[in-house]
Amino acid sequence: ESCHGPRSKHVENASRDLALDDAKAQSAVCLQCHEGGSRFTWKGGPHQSNDVGCSSCHYVMANRSERALLAKDTVSGTCYECHSEVRADMNKMSHHPVREGRLDCASCHNAHGATTSLLTKNTLNETCYSCHTDKRGPFVWEHAPARESCATCHTPHGSSNRNLLTSKDPFLCLSCHSYGGHINLPRYNRVSNPYGSGCSNCHISTHGSNHPSGAKLTR
């Protein structure tokens, strides 16, 4: 009755469906108990705004998962029900270790939150720094795009290029650093060699450097 209302209503009309069809109405019932914690910012968030309700991801009548009464047996499997494009990215050559079971979607995303992209932290970079602490800095010599956003060079779920890069190593660098007077042409960066690192053969500290002679991110 806490969820479906008084039993007397069902006795009066046994054919009446006690389940609520509207996602927001369903969620309102759940939020009577589950409104605090990570669900504090549910209202106004991307999922609620797109008519995703609690029952879209959770199945309360049977234990289908080890935790959280999820609709599928894993967190990621539940998310993939809607986010099929993410599943495709996770099957690419370079990907976060979700398939291997070392991470799941909830490692980076709070499905109940209202922050940008439902991230667990306030910004994309802060979320990445949760694991990649060596990229946080501060650095004496900073690589500005890395400081601005990790997504400038990396795609978060999966890529056909190594290290989750948005394009092949040297082409990615040349999208910004295409000027004369330097050996920054593709033929010098071993584009045809699948094992070549291009610009990072020399500029090894691509995120930033604390070396006194690292102004060009070479140390």
Side-chain angles (χ1 to χ4, degrees):
E1 290 185 350
S2 298
C3 300
H4 293 282
R7 179 174 175 268
S8 59
K9 297 293 185 182
H10 180 61
V11 172
E12 293 172 3
N13 185 359
S15 63
R16 176 176 174 266
D17 187 1
L18 294 180
L20 297 170
D21 295 327
D22 181 72
K24 291 183 179 179
Q26 287 182 351
S27 299
V29 173
C30 299
L31 291 172
Q32 292 177 125
C33 298
H34 301 284
E35 191 169 12
S38 63
R39 294 167 296 278
F40 182 73
T41 53
W42 167 261
K43 294 178 180 178
H47 278 146
Q48 192 215 34
S49 300
N50 287 280
D51 293 325
V52 176
C54 302
S55 60
S56 301
C57 302
H58 302 279
Y59 190 80
V60 299
M61 299 302 181
N63 189 14
R64 296 180 176 179
S65 64
E66 294 183 358
R67 62 189 178 100
L69 291 174
L70 296 171
K72 298 296 180 181
D73 58 346
T74 64
V75 173
S76 300
T78 303
C79 297
Y80 291 158
E81 286 295 291
C82 294
H83 300 282
S84 56
E85 76 285 356
V86 176
R87 183 201 295 269
D89 284 342
M90 288 296 182
N91 285 320
K92 291 180 179 178
M93 177 270 294
S94 178
H95 59 272
H96 272 114
V98 172
R99 280 166 30 199
E100 293 77 10
R102 293 168 55 195
L103 294 174
D104 58 32
C105 300
S107 300
C108 300
H109 298 281
N110 172 16
H112 307 106
T115 60
T116 303
S117 301
L118 293 174
L119 296 173
T120 56
K121 304 295 183 182
N122 290 327
T123 66
L124 171 65
N125 280 23
E126 285 298 319
T127 303
C128 297
Y129 295 154
S130 298
C131 294
H132 303 283
T133 54
D134 57 314
K135 308 298 189 297
R136 181 192 298 271
F139 297 109
V140 173
W141 309 102
E142 289 188 340
H143 191 190
R147 172 60 62 190
E148 180 180 348
S149 173
C150 300
T152 302
C153 299
H154 300 279
T155 181
H157 298 115
S159 172
S160 297
N161 303 293
R162 57 187 177 177
N163 298 324
L164 291 170
L165 293 174
T166 56
S167 63
K168 190 170 173 59
D169 307 41
F171 290 120
L172 179 60
C173 298
L174 292 174
S175 64
C176 293
H177 303 283
S178 55
Y179 45 83
H182 187 67
I183 54 170
N184 61 346
L185 296 177
R187 65 175 177 271
Y188 295 117
N189 284 298
R190 302 169 66 188
V191 175
S192 60
N193 184 346
Y195 301 102
S197 297
C199 305
S200 58
N201 284 328
C202 299
H203 303 278
I204 58 176
S205 301
T206 52
H207 296 92
S209 174
N210 283 321
H211 195 281
S213 300
K216 301 297 183 181
L217 305 179
T218 55
R219 297 170 184 267

